[in-house]
Amino acid sequence: MRVALIGYGRMGKMVAECMGEREGMEIAGIVDFTCLPSLRDVSSPDVAIDFSYPGDLDDLLDAATVRRVPLVIGRTALTAEQEAKIAAAAKAVPIVSSNNFSLGVTVMRRLVAEAAAALGVAFDVEIVEAHHKQKLDAPSGTVKLLLTALDPSGNRPVLYGREGVTEKRGGEIGVHALRGGTVCGEHSVHFYGDMEELSVTHRADSRRIFAAGALRAAEFVVKQAPGLYTMEQVLFATRAG
């Protein structure tokens, strides 16, 4: 499988390193300001894995649509307009787009969805996430994934942090972001009931887990019809409707 790497920062290099440890995969080309200018210039790619910055998304989607190249997109902090453009491109090519490619986080998302549905609003929910001090966005993209799992309809208000004298809880989901040191990534969802607590935690010790997940998504997406797929579909082999 010939893989085009879009972006060659820390994650792009990690994907390349993981590819070197696998059989049946090779780098078709690297799109970066120091390498090739566009996916259009990559020779015969079977799939493209994108861990670049949001600014060049339009060119990537246009090139993938024209060349019918499946995509694995790992950008965070996308705007609603960019999300809509990805969904539109998915009508022509299969795309896996996710804020987190960790297999553990994918399982965690399903676990907290099941817990939230079973426990209901009788249990208070708090999310705590921690990342390294250089991370720019807060909350993390993974928190956003967890929020949609906890409250698919979006009916529960979300409270980002607390300060001063606050009113008693009103069914909100609390979100708290910690930033410091070199923490790769940690997410915990706490369900607080009457005299009991359930917590689900995922810790990432290396960015390699995201690269490995992206490669698994690439192996999945090359076999799919056009459509927008999630990591949950990748892991649990559920086709998009």
Side-chain angles (χ1 to χ4, degrees):
M1 183 166 66
R2 290 175 54 77
V3 181
L5 299 181
I6 314 300
Y8 204 56
R10 287 180 295 182
M11 278 307 306
K13 291 174 182 175
M14 189 69 72
V15 172
E17 181 180 323
C18 289
M19 283 180 58
E21 300 169 359
R22 296 190 178 204
E23 294 183 0
M25 285 188 174
E26 64 178 354
I27 297 176
I30 298 172
V31 177
D32 189 71
F33 68 94
T34 61
C35 304
L36 298 173
S38 171
L39 179 61
R40 294 178 175 84
D41 303 294
V42 178
S43 176
S44 304
D46 295 311
V47 63
I49 298 178
D50 171 35
F51 279 108
S52 62
Y53 295 100
D56 59 354
L57 180 63
D58 288 354
D59 179 75
L60 173 64
L61 295 177
D62 289 344
T65 300
V66 170
R67 301 191 66 186
R68 294 295 190 266
V69 179
L71 294 176
V72 174
I73 298 178
R75 305 183 190 214
T76 60
L78 292 171
T79 66
E81 181 181 2
Q82 289 172 323
E83 295 279 10
K85 289 180 178 179
I86 291 174
K91 295 178 181 179
V93 294
I95 298 175
V96 175
S97 181
S98 180
N99 289 321
N100 191 311
F101 284 95
S102 160
L103 304 185
V105 166
T106 303
V107 174
M108 179 186 186
R109 187 178 186 277
R110 176 166 284 202
L111 291 175
V112 299
E114 292 284 347
L119 299 174
V121 294
F123 277 65
D124 301 318
V125 183
E126 297 281 304
I127 303 175
V128 181
E129 58 107 336
H131 283 87
H132 55 86
K133 62 185 178 182
Q134 295 182 345
K135 185 171 178 61
L136 299 178
D137 58 315
S140 68
T142 303
V143 167
K144 296 175 183 177
L145 286 176
L146 294 173
L147 283 171
T148 60
L150 291 162
D151 182 28
S153 61
N155 290 330
R156 300 182 69 169
V158 180
L159 178 63
Y160 296 98
R162 290 185 174 82
E163 181 181 8
V165 179
T166 60
E167 298 179 358
K168 68 177 184 178
R169 293 191 63 119
E172 78 275 5
I173 298 176
V175 176
H176 312 275
L178 311 180
R179 296 290 179 267
T182 58
V183 180
C184 186
E186 180 176 322
H187 296 83
S188 294
V189 178
H190 303 275
F191 298 89
Y192 295 101
D194 188 10
M195 294 180 289
E196 62 178 327
E197 174 191 350
L198 170 67
S199 296
V200 182
T201 298
H202 176 271
R203 294 182 182 91
D205 294 328
S206 168
R207 290 184 179 85
R208 285 181 65 88
I209 65 172
F210 309 123
L215 290 176
R216 182 156 175 177
E219 292 171 333
F220 167 88
V221 79
V222 295
K223 302 174 184 177
Q224 306 307 315
L228 186 56
Y229 299 85
T230 67
M231 276 303 291
E232 193 163 344
Q233 289 170 302
V234 171
L235 194 56
F236 297 103
T238 304
R239 293 186 60 86

